[in-house]
Amino acid sequence: MSLQSINLPALGSGGTQQGGPWSQVVRALSQWLTSLGVSPKNTVVLLPQWAHLACARCAWDDQIGDKPPLFETPQTLIKTWGPASTSEAGMITFDVATDRLAAKNLLAQVIHFGPGDEWAMEYALGALVQTAHDLARAAALIPPEQRPAYWQRCREGVQPGSAAQRQQAILRVAIEWAALQPAPLSDILFTPPVRVGAWVLVQAGGPDPLAQAVCSHASAQTHCGIINLDSTVQNEAGDWVLKGLSSVLKITACRDFEDEAQRCAAVILHHVRRDEVPVAVVAQDRTLMRRVQALLKRQQLDVQDETGWKLSTSTAAACLMAWLNWFSPHSSLDDLLDALKTRPQTLDHAHQLEAELRQGAWRTMATVPADELSAASKSLWDDALKARADLSVNMARPLHHWQLALRQVLKFLGLIEHLASDAAGVQVLSVLCLTDDHAHPQHLTDDGRHLSWADFVQWLDFSLEYSTLIPSAPSQPKVFVTPLSQAILRPFAALVFPGADAHQWRMSAHEHPCLIPAQAPLFGLTSLEVQQQSLRSAVGHLLHVPQVTILYRLLDGSEPRAPSPLLEHLALAWSQAFPEADTQIQWSQILQEKTLIATPVRPGEPSAPDLLPLRLSAKACDALRSCPYQFFALRMLGLRNTREWGKLPEKRDYGIWLHDVLYRFHKARDTPSTWAEEVAHLQAIARESQQAMGLNDAEFWPYWVSFEQLIDPYLTWQHKRDQQGIRWLASELELTATPTAWKGVTMFGKIDRVDKAEGGAVLDLIDYKTKAKSTLSKGMKNPSEDTQLAFYTALLMQHHPKSVVASAYLPLDDKEEKIELLALKSPHEAARLLLEGIGFDLQRLRDGASLRPLGQGDTCDYCEARGLCRKDHWATEHSSSEAAQI
């Protein structure tokens, strides 16, 4: 027998039409079976998609009645007839994460990768797994008795003399790996366990290779028919059949991503409000669909997402990966806090631990004194360290041993119960086999492979990345987000198709990384022409939905986007079939415009006499003189930016470290010694200080290089002062004083260094700066504007009123070949002006003066309070000269 064509009359418009396409399908099917004398109960009908099962079964019940045939897809029929999937060690499982483990061993036997070929090895692993999967699936389409000949053709199709030798080597491995697989589960379709009186294939949206292969094989023994629904939407030339359609097509261009999302959501809401439901939304652009669903959620609209999302993007997966980052050998305090904050039961204690760590300025694990933590914080700290130690990530183990160890650690931390509290967490535990009732498959426990911690984490990552979570469906959804292939032949009243630009919606073949295009047909893989034809067929079916709206964007960021060539072909064909039709959307009927009146922000004018600080540092005084609002926000309100624990030291860390090195050096230096001894002494102290601060050698290396370049100029300058008889008196000198003009407000600070000449009466106040000399000189052109040296001079004079103080900056920049002091002119006068000026400002604050932002100079460029004063949002007519200066 041959595959018989079951003819259908031309389909009318849409699945909501009386009867609909499935009614015509079941009538034609019933008539064909009656003509053959075959009972429907002994008939298997293979449908294109699982979403069509309910449509076909309901249509049979409505139109025919009893004795329904078996409506299935090839995949659902395999599950109905076949046993559960079983694989032996090293066999293909079609699980990307698991198969990569086996592929790594196979690849190492044929290709050598050097230490610097990590990226090449990752690509080769992906290519091997993908190619083996493609070949194994292609082999499953062939009847078992013809499969040996197929593998022989594949072996002969490898091109040993090809320039792409590595790809062909991977191809050979993929062929032999796939050929060793046991009989695929789809073989049960070629040898049914029950008697089948007739097979019927329903084709829509392109051919189904497996269904065609099964029907073609069965046609030699039984009746086989095909209902080709694609022929009703396309003619033999491949053009769409549009004549007689009563559908409405609208095509619109959007400005950018956000405009497309807004308009897409507006169209969906428009259909829902007009009771044109259900609405199908084609998930062509998943990023765009996430935004659209967020907009619909604001309108309390139930959406059934049939595409789902990657399990790796779920909160449960993020929780697990946060703890894996902490368990890694080189984890940081940031990784610890990120992990602790994923446990709801200890979230408050995690924030408390973070506050204590930041208050203590401990930036590495080694510098944290656990005994100084509070009881709650110490408990968290100890649990996290114990879990990390119990996992022992520095050894290689079989995969199931890693899973067992991770499962025990997660139980100890209480994370098993937490992950099991939502659907995504349950699937995470199931996919990774991390619960007691999920034993690991036998083919992964007996292969003898030992994985490092990095390999195990990579397996976890790929397992989550290639698993899809389908959210639970609402009770009565009005909107369905679905792939294009599942949107056809379903009873939708309207269809919205966003993302129809040339980037997102293009006709391209599935890429086979180890095959050239000419090899694809030889290996039984789908060609580009077949894929393009299937896409055009699917579009033809979508046009039968009563109302179709297609959107595309003109810009994606700064990158121009063009409409898809397929969309342009559709627009041309539609205009030829319906020359009077208008495909433009009347947005005035859909979008509700709202005019917003611009309300620029005026500078704030806070006044807080009761918040006047009782202690002022040099930095606080500089803020008061530079910008009163900055002083208000940072000093009176006490607001601060939270400093992150970066993996790399910052310039600030270098400055703190350099101050500590010079303090230790001079404290231990009673008298000058030889040049070599002082260099060695300075380097030894630098290493001690680096270890004490917990600064990693590799991370601190750039600053260490700067320091080594600074040693010679600094010692040259120091020896010159030794020859002049100037001796070091003190460093890191902490002083406080209460000037009379400040009326009870105390000044405090730490002076970097104080020197004095032998027998002299002048105290040299030196402030170290890791800035260039030119930068410091520029800021000292007007002595009255330099706050720091004037402040420290005034502070030192309060303790030594009879001494003469000379103040200077010492630029410690590694780019300077010669170190020189930059002295402050008239330091005593500058100190007097500072004390009087700050005293006057403090009195005005007591009297309730407003602290408006000045919005001038470099102060704004690096101001932590810029987001509070909202300078970037001030009224355009506001002039910085209007800001009142106190």
Side-chain angles (χ1 to χ4, degrees):
M1 299 182 187
S2 60
L3 199 62
Q4 303 177 33
S5 177
I6 305 175
N7 296 323
L8 283 177
L11 293 181
S13 173
T16 58
Q17 170 186 317
Q18 180 65 33
W22 289 108
S23 296
Q24 300 179 53
V25 167
V26 297
R27 287 197 199 102
L29 173 62
S30 177
Q31 294 172 5
W32 183 71
L33 293 176
T34 301
S35 66
L36 296 175
V38 177
S39 171
K41 293 185 65 176
N42 296 330
T43 302
V44 177
V45 182
L46 297 179
L47 303 179
Q49 298 289 338
W50 64 266
H52 299 148
L53 298 178
C55 299
R57 290 165 182 169
C58 290
W60 183 274
D61 291 340
D62 293 341
Q63 302 295 323
I64 309 302
D66 58 352
K67 298 181 180 180
L70 187 62
F71 290 104
E72 299 285 351
T73 68
Q75 288 71 31
T76 59
L77 189 58
I78 291 172
K79 293 180 180 179
T80 301
W81 283 351
S85 175
T86 58
S87 297
E88 300 177 3
M91 296 300 182
I92 293 176
T93 65
F94 294 101
D95 176 81
V96 174
T98 301
D99 289 342
R100 282 175 64 92
L101 298 179
K104 193 171 186 178
N105 293 338
L106 294 174
L107 200 60
Q109 300 175 20
V110 295
I111 300 178
H112 172 71
F113 293 97
D117 293 340
E118 289 81 6
W119 288 106
M121 184 180 68
E122 286 297 314
Y123 176 82
L125 273 177
L128 174 56
V129 171
Q130 181 180 336
T131 304
H133 285 185
D134 291 341
L135 294 175
R137 290 190 177 98
L141 305 178
I142 300 174
E145 64 274 11
Q146 301 176 16
R147 207 164 287 145
Y150 167 76
W151 291 121
Q152 185 59 33
R153 289 200 310 272
C154 290
R155 295 185 181 99
E156 294 172 355
V158 179
Q159 301 177 5
S162 172
Q165 295 182 3
R166 176 170 288 186
Q167 283 81 355
Q168 295 301 304
I170 296 173
L171 177 58
R172 285 195 297 271
V173 176
I175 292 172
E176 299 305 329
W177 187 22
L180 289 175
Q181 304 312 304
L185 296 180
S186 59
D187 279 3
I188 199 168
L189 301 182
F190 295 100
T191 56
V194 297
R195 188 181 71 83
V196 178
W199 291 85
V200 177
L201 168 62
V202 179
Q203 178 177 316
D208 184 331
L210 179 57
Q212 284 191 327
V214 170
C215 291
S216 298
H217 181 264
S219 64
Q221 292 87 23
T222 187
H223 299 286
C224 291
I226 178 172
I227 301 177
N228 188 0
L229 296 179
D230 289 339
S231 64
T232 65
V233 297
Q234 279 186 296
N235 56 31
E236 295 181 356
D239 298 326
W240 289 299
V241 178
L242 302 179
K243 292 295 185 180
L245 283 182
S246 59
S247 303
V248 177
L249 174 65
K250 299 294 183 181
I251 302 175
T252 186
C254 308
R255 291 190 306 274
D256 51 23
F257 175 91
E258 183 61 25
D259 186 46
E260 186 175 9
Q262 295 278 355
R263 291 176 183 267
C264 178
V267 172
I268 296 170
L269 290 170
H270 177 69
H271 288 307
V272 172
R273 288 165 182 163
R274 297 178 59 180
D275 202 28
E276 297 167 348
V277 292
V279 181
V281 187
V282 177
Q284 187 69 31
D285 184 343
R286 291 301 300 158
T287 303
L288 179 70
M289 286 313 306
R290 284 197 294 268
R291 176 59 178 156
V292 171
Q293 290 192 62
L295 294 173
L296 296 177
K297 189 174 182 180
R298 295 179 184 177
Q299 304 297 324
Q300 289 78 46
L301 186 62
D302 290 334
V303 177
Q304 180 172 339
D305 189 346
E306 297 178 349
T307 62
W309 57 79
K310 291 183 178 180
L311 195 58
S312 58
T313 64
S314 65
T315 303
C319 169
L320 178 62
M321 295 307 296
W323 281 99
L324 294 178
N325 290 337
W326 161 241
F327 296 147
S328 296
H330 304 294
S331 56
S332 64
L333 287 177
D334 266 336
D335 296 324
L336 170 61
L337 293 174
D338 288 343
L340 290 175
K341 290 176 183 178
T342 63
R343 295 199 305 176
Q345 66 271 29
T346 57
L347 183 59
D348 293 339
H349 295 323
H351 286 299
Q352 180 181 344
L353 173 62
E354 180 179 12
E356 294 177 19
L357 293 175
R358 294 191 184 281
Q359 186 175 4
W362 301 311
R363 65 182 302 273
T364 62
M365 300 291 300
T367 59
V368 177
D371 294 338
E372 297 183 18
L373 299 174
S374 63
S377 298
K378 189 174 186 301
S379 177
L380 279 185
W381 178 266
D382 292 341
D383 286 349
L385 291 182
K386 182 179 185 303
R388 191 166 182 249
D390 289 347
L391 196 56
S392 301
V393 300
N394 293 321
M395 58 184 295
R397 310 177 186 180
L399 179 58
H400 70 286
H401 288 179
W402 275 119
Q403 291 174 308
L404 178 61
L406 181 59
R407 185 189 311 166
Q408 292 174 344
V409 168
L410 295 180
K411 276 186 177 180
F412 168 74
L413 294 170
L415 290 173
I416 293 291
E417 295 80 3
H418 171 56
L419 292 174
S421 61
D422 69 336
V426 171
Q427 187 169 340
V428 166
L429 296 175
S430 176
V431 167
L432 304 179
C433 302
L434 294 179
T435 56
D436 294 332
D437 56 345
H438 281 88
H440 202 277
Q442 187 71 16
H443 64 276
L444 290 179
T445 58
D446 296 337
D447 57 7
R449 285 173 293 185
H450 281 63
L451 308 181
S452 66
W453 169 251
D455 292 334
F456 176 57
V457 172
Q458 188 179 57
W459 176 82
L460 292 171
D461 188 35
F462 273 95
S463 296
L464 297 175
E465 183 70 16
Y466 285 92
S467 297
T468 301
L469 176 65
I470 304 296
S472 57
S475 56
Q476 292 182 337
K478 296 182 179 180
V479 179
F480 291 78
V481 177
T482 183
L484 186 148
S485 60
Q486 295 182 19
I488 64 176
L489 295 178
R490 295 173 66 182
F492 292 124
L495 181 136
V496 182
F497 192 139
D501 57 76
H503 178 76
Q504 294 292 340
W505 196 27
R506 59 184 185 271
M507 294 186 293
S508 60
H510 173 68
E511 295 182 0
H512 305 289
C514 296
L515 299 175
I516 60 176
Q519 287 178 303
L522 177 65
F523 285 81
L525 304 176
T526 306
S527 65
L528 173 61
E529 292 75 13
V530 173
Q531 295 182 51
Q532 291 177 341
Q533 188 64 27
S534 298
L535 179 58
R536 292 180 63 87
S537 298
V539 173
H541 286 290
L542 294 183
L543 295 176
H544 286 74
V545 177
Q547 299 193 65
V548 179
T549 304
I550 302 179
L551 305 95
Y552 65 95
R553 76 191 74 151
L554 299 176
L555 281 176
D556 188 23
S558 59
E559 180 183 352
R561 288 281 178 90
S564 168
L566 191 60
L567 177 59
E568 293 181 324
H569 294 165
L570 174 59
L572 178 61
W574 194 271
S575 64
Q576 292 174 347
F578 307 100
E580 304 298 328
D582 182 10
T583 59
Q584 299 300 313
I585 296 180
Q586 301 298 322
W587 288 109
S588 59
Q589 302 175 7
I590 298 178
L591 296 178
Q592 297 178 357
E593 295 186 0
K594 180 183 292 186
T595 301
L596 300 178
I597 300 175
T599 54
V601 178
R602 302 289 298 182
E605 299 182 12
S607 174
D610 295 336
L611 297 180
L612 187 65
L614 299 179
R615 288 163 52 87
L616 294 179
S617 64
K619 194 171 183 179
C621 291
D622 185 61
L624 181 58
R625 301 175 84 185
S626 301
C627 178
Y629 191 90
Q630 184 188 92
F631 179 81
F632 165 74
L634 304 183
R635 308 299 164 180
M636 301 179 77
L637 295 181
L639 303 178
R640 293 287 188 279
N641 275 342
T642 301
R643 187 188 176 204
E644 296 294 336
W645 285 293
K647 292 186 178 180
L648 296 176
E650 301 173 355
K651 186 71 176 287
R652 174 184 174 185
D653 298 312
Y654 172 64
I656 295 173
W657 170 80
L658 186 57
H659 278 64
D660 182 63
V661 169
L662 295 180
Y663 166 70
R664 295 188 184 199
F665 174 73
H666 287 288
K667 187 177 180 180
R669 183 179 185 266
D670 296 331
T671 57
S673 57
T674 64
W675 184 274
E677 291 176 342
E678 297 221 301
V679 170
H681 186 204
L682 193 55
Q683 290 178 333
I685 290 177
R687 287 298 185 191
E688 292 175 3
S689 178
Q690 179 188 341
Q691 293 176 2
M693 293 180 63
L695 299 173
N696 180 273
D697 285 343
E699 297 172 354
F700 196 66
W701 176 251
Y703 295 113
W704 181 266
V705 172
S706 297
F707 170 72
E708 287 191 325
Q709 294 176 349
L710 182 66
I711 290 178
D712 286 351
Y714 181 79
L715 290 179
T716 300
W717 173 82
Q718 181 59 51
H719 284 189
K720 183 177 180 180
R721 291 182 68 83
D722 293 336
Q723 296 170 3
Q724 295 171 351
I726 302 175
R727 296 292 178 258
W728 173 86
L729 287 184
S731 287
E732 305 300 315
L733 185 62
E734 297 186 12
L735 299 176
T736 59
T738 307
T740 304
W742 290 16
K743 298 181 180 179
V745 177
T746 301
M747 63 188 310
F748 72 97
K750 183 185 291 186
I751 299 175
D752 290 345
R753 175 171 172 173
V754 178
D755 288 1
K756 185 179 181 181
E758 294 179 357
V762 178
L763 295 176
D764 286 345
L765 187 155
I766 299 175
D767 193 71
Y768 298 136
K769 288 293 182 185
T770 55
K771 295 181 179 179
K773 184 191 303 182
S774 57
T775 304
L776 293 172
S777 301
K778 183 179 178 180
M780 296 178 67
K781 288 183 178 179
N782 189 346
S784 63
E785 293 184 1
D786 187 277
T787 302
Q788 194 163 6
L789 281 182
F791 181 92
Y792 288 140
T793 300
L795 185 58
L796 188 61
M797 288 174 57
Q798 299 285 315
H799 288 265
H800 299 276
K802 297 182 180 181
S803 300
V804 177
V805 178
S807 303
Y809 287 122
L810 183 63
L812 302 176
D813 185 69
D814 60 328
K815 298 180 180 62
E816 301 290 343
E817 297 180 358
K818 183 179 180 182
I819 289 180
E820 294 178 341
L821 288 172
L822 296 178
L824 177 66
K825 298 179 181 179
S826 306
H828 286 242
E829 179 65 14
R832 183 186 65 80
L833 292 175
L834 176 104
L835 293 179
E836 292 178 356
I838 297 296
F840 177 76
D841 292 342
L842 293 175
Q843 185 57 48
R844 291 200 61 198
L845 294 180
R846 295 187 186 96
D847 295 339
S850 63
L851 297 102
R852 298 185 66 185
L854 299 183
Q856 294 178 338
D858 296 337
T859 302
C860 292
D861 294 339
Y862 306 100
C863 179
E864 293 180 276
R866 183 163 182 154
L868 293 177
C869 80
R870 316 258 339 247
K871 175 188 175 183
D872 300 313
H873 303 276
W874 286 353
T876 54
E877 68 272 12
H878 171 72
S879 172
S880 59
S881 62
E882 297 178 13
Q885 300 185 26
I886 66 170

